[in-house]
Amino acid sequence: MVEEIITLENDDVRVKVMAHHGGRVTHLINQRDEREWLIGPRAVDTTPPRLDDVYTDTNHFGWDEMLPTIDPCQYPGEPYSDLALADHGELWTALWEVIGRGPTSLHQRVEGQRMKYVFERVLELRGAVLRCEYRCVTPVDTAMLWALHPQFVTRDATRLQLHPEPVAVLDTSRATPRVRDWPGDLIVERDIVSGSDLMIYVDPMVAVESASLLDADGSSLTMTWDRRFARYLGIWADHGRHSGGRVIAIEPTNSFYDDLSKAVAHRRATLFAANQPLTWWVEIALQSAKVAPA
């Protein structure tokens, strides 16, 4: 099956999305300065990933949705006692369907592979803003972890800034997490040794409202999200360990942190009540590079 790629486009932004396999967003481009914000594939291989594949062993790229977990684990209790949950969840390996589409909008739907739920996403361009609206419903009370997983490619000296700034963050890159100071920004080539990566979380008591990636030439990306649902923020930065370049993933999420079973045990996960749809949103605003006067 040849994958269909759907393009959404206006004068400001061009977005490309896989119609079926994983619903992956493959391109997010600022039309005003041609800045591509999503990293491309590491290999030519186009074999679709399968449930139970290890995410970092596949030809991952672009932007995926994570549900119902990130780290593989067993479901904690009823209604799916000890059910094995796949690495990075089910959505990135599932077959999605297209519900509706237009020049600047796309509505997709996917059903759970091992768990019973229906997940929907609507992407819509509004000028230089990409609006993402989500809806998820399950027939039985179910705890689930959702996280955005967009692999934003950085340039030399691209800075990540958080607003408002936290004082410290939790580094979960090691077996034993540790608290570390937040230096005010993060630059991949300055702060992460080549060939390694970093996974951090903002303290769950700190209310970060937006995150921005700022290029040296003035091109920028700013993400905001529905904090009523996604109360937590993870950040994954990779300097060539798992990706084909330098990546920062801004990951709003409803759980703290990657393992659903641990999040439930610490009461840091969301219960999706039976037949009561939950909705939430994310917005990504693009700013073009500053043009020097002639």
Side-chain angles (χ1 to χ4, degrees):
M1 175 180 176
V2 177
E3 179 59 51
E4 179 187 3
I5 303 297
I6 296 175
T7 299
L8 311 180
E9 188 169 19
N10 63 16
D11 290 340
D12 298 292
V13 182
R14 183 165 70 254
V15 176
K16 294 188 177 184
V17 188
M18 288 184 174
H20 304 294
H21 288 111
R24 174 174 285 163
V25 181
T26 62
H27 295 275
L28 174 60
I29 300 170
N30 186 331
Q31 299 262 69
R32 302 293 184 178
D33 59 11
E34 290 302 315
R35 170 63 154 106
E36 166 66 83
W37 282 100
L38 291 173
I39 197 162
R42 297 174 298 165
V44 178
D45 180 22
T46 58
T47 303
R50 297 173 296 179
L51 188 64
D52 291 324
D53 280 353
V54 175
Y55 187 80
T56 53
D57 288 346
T58 66
N59 188 26
H60 60 91
F61 61 98
W63 154 1
D64 295 299
E65 309 284 345
M66 303 289 121
L67 189 96
T69 188
I70 298 178
D71 288 348
C73 63
Q74 291 183 319
Y75 188 87
E78 297 295 336
Y80 300 105
S81 294
D82 299 326
L83 176 70
L85 303 182
D87 183 43
H88 281 63
E90 300 184 343
L91 298 184
W92 69 283
T93 60
L95 282 176
W96 296 42
E97 59 178 317
V98 174
I99 302 300
R101 59 196 291 184
T104 59
S105 64
L106 174 63
H107 183 182
Q108 291 169 289
R109 176 181 182 273
V110 59
E111 295 188 13
Q113 297 188 71
R114 288 188 178 142
M115 299 168 62
K116 294 180 180 180
Y117 59 83
V118 176
F119 179 92
E120 295 181 55
R121 183 185 68 192
V122 176
L123 302 177
E124 182 181 3
L125 296 179
R126 301 179 179 180
V129 174
L130 174 61
R131 170 85 174 185
C132 316
E133 295 186 349
Y134 298 91
R135 182 181 188 273
C136 187
V137 62
T138 175
V140 292
D141 290 356
T142 308
M144 291 192 288
L145 179 162
W146 167 84
L148 198 65
H149 197 273
Q151 298 184 63
F152 296 128
V153 61
T154 68
R155 295 174 170 175
D156 291 343
T158 298
R159 297 180 294 125
L160 171 68
Q161 290 190 325
L162 305 178
H163 316 283
E165 288 187 12
V167 174
V169 293
L170 182 68
D171 184 345
T172 64
S173 304
R174 303 179 182 183
T176 302
R178 64 187 180 96
V179 176
R180 56 187 290 175
D181 292 338
W182 175 252
D185 62 11
L186 185 142
I187 300 175
V188 173
E189 66 272 22
R190 181 194 68 191
D191 300 324
I192 302 171
V193 175
S194 180
S196 63
D197 66 338
L198 172 70
M199 185 70 210
I200 58 177
Y201 275 84
V202 176
D203 185 299
M205 303 305 293
V206 177
V208 171
E209 297 178 355
S210 66
S212 298
L213 291 171
L214 308 170
D215 286 347
D217 65 1
S219 191
S220 68
L221 175 154
T222 296
M223 181 188 294
T224 54
W225 55 91
D226 187 350
R227 293 197 66 261
R228 295 172 302 173
F229 175 80
R231 296 176 292 162
Y232 311 109
L233 178 63
I235 298 161
W236 177 58
D238 184 61
H239 196 172
R241 180 183 180 188
H242 296 297
S243 57
R246 298 188 302 240
V247 161
I248 293 179
I250 303 169
E251 302 181 3
T253 176
N254 66 315
S255 292
F256 186 82
Y257 39 98
D258 289 355
D259 184 315
L260 175 64
S261 63
K262 292 179 181 178
V264 169
H266 291 91
R267 298 182 180 179
R268 296 284 189 183
T270 301
L271 180 68
F272 289 68
N275 301 311
Q276 297 183 28
L278 285 180
T279 61
W280 65 98
W281 57 267
V282 173
E283 287 191 344
I284 298 175
L286 303 185
Q287 175 68 47
S288 57
K290 297 175 182 176
V291 179

